[in-house]
Amino acid sequence: MTNGRRIINFNKHIEDNFWLYIISMLCVFTGIVLGIYAVKYMGIVENENLLSYLNDFTKNIAGVSFQYKNMFLDILKNNFPLIIAIWFLGLTMVGIPVILIIDVIKGFTIGFTISFMIKSFGAKGIGMVLLGVLPQNIIYIPCIMLSSVIAMEFSLNILKDSRAKKHWIGGIGIRIVSYTIIFVMIFAVMCSGFLLETLVTPNLIKFIMS
């Protein structure tokens, strides 16, 4: 009964915020397209520098003993500020444009990475994308979109209440706690992607390049 109620509540959440999901999705895909075009029109010097770095990485990866703990901490440090930023922006009445910019940037990094790998390594690049880039991003992208929509919804509710001159100071603590718990749950799901990117992805790339 509890699981059924949760499903109904989540379906209602999607229905109530359908256009926010569409906007967030469009921003992510816009970023992906921009990332692809950035690789296409990249300058010769920048292209050669990045390609040289990737070539050095792929040549040395066969003899690398991965420090999984350090890798996990680096991935955590790269993604934790992103979730915190979205969470904080949701607490403001002017954070929605910045949240959408974050969605575009996330899409841009994915599009740029995929495009550059395929352009630089051909068939091996496709393998690296399928096994080394997409798996964790299948987890990351829905989590980023969900957190973005929840943050935008919270921000809009604050704006609506302020315009309607509703006084919800007494319940603001409960709302923020509930809002924060949802973000903690989303981040917990993202941690499965961090583990995948730490333990599985490097070994798959190592296998492909060898």
Side-chain angles (χ1 to χ4, degrees):
M1 182 71 179
T2 303
N3 290 335
R5 189 176 300 169
R6 287 176 180 173
I7 292 172
I8 291 172
N9 289 338
F10 185 69
N11 288 338
K12 186 176 185 306
H13 163 77
I14 293 177
E15 290 176 5
D16 292 343
N17 299 282
F18 177 76
W19 287 108
L20 290 180
Y21 277 103
I22 294 296
I23 292 169
S24 179
M25 188 182 300
L26 285 174
C27 287
V28 172
F29 281 109
T30 298
I32 291 174
V33 172
L34 291 175
I36 293 172
Y37 273 93
V39 172
K40 184 177 180 180
Y41 295 106
M42 186 188 299
I44 296 175
V45 175
E46 292 84 358
N47 185 80
E48 289 180 350
N49 288 338
L50 189 54
L51 183 58
S52 176
Y53 171 80
L54 283 177
N55 283 331
D56 291 339
F57 172 77
T58 54
K59 286 177 182 177
N60 296 328
I61 196 172
V64 168
S65 178
F66 297 117
Q67 300 293 323
Y68 294 110
K69 180 180 178 181
N70 293 335
M71 290 174 62
F72 180 81
L73 290 176
D74 286 340
I75 294 170
L76 192 64
K77 290 176 184 177
N78 289 334
N79 289 276
F80 185 68
L82 184 69
I83 290 295
I84 289 295
I86 295 174
W87 171 84
F88 175 76
L89 290 166
L91 296 174
T92 70
M93 290 186 288
V94 293
I96 292 178
V98 184
I99 292 171
L100 295 177
I101 290 172
I102 291 175
D103 288 347
V104 173
I105 293 172
K106 185 62 179 177
F108 179 88
T109 58
I110 295 171
F112 186 91
T113 303
I114 291 174
S115 181
F116 192 82
M117 282 187 172
I118 294 175
K119 178 182 178 182
S120 302
F121 298 106
K124 282 188 176 182
I126 295 175
M128 291 172 68
V129 167
L130 292 176
L131 299 178
V133 177
L134 291 183
Q136 61 266 27
N137 279 297
I138 289 175
I139 299 173
Y140 294 159
I141 292 176
C143 286
I144 293 296
M145 288 178 56
L146 177 60
S147 60
S148 296
V149 170
I150 289 172
M152 288 189 287
E153 179 188 22
F154 195 84
S155 181
L156 286 173
N157 286 336
I158 294 175
L159 184 61
K160 287 176 183 177
D161 287 349
S162 67
R163 285 184 174 178
K165 295 182 179 180
K166 289 182 179 179
H167 299 288
W168 54 290
I169 300 300
I172 189 170
I174 297 175
R175 292 196 186 192
I176 292 177
V177 169
S178 299
Y179 172 72
T180 303
I181 289 173
I182 294 173
F183 268 78
V184 171
M185 293 170 63
I186 293 173
F187 191 74
V189 174
M190 288 187 71
C191 283
S192 63
F194 301 160
L195 290 172
L196 180 65
E197 190 173 356
T198 301
L199 302 175
V200 179
T201 298
N203 290 297
L204 288 175
I205 293 177
K206 186 175 183 178
F207 172 76
I208 293 169
M209 299 312 297
S210 61

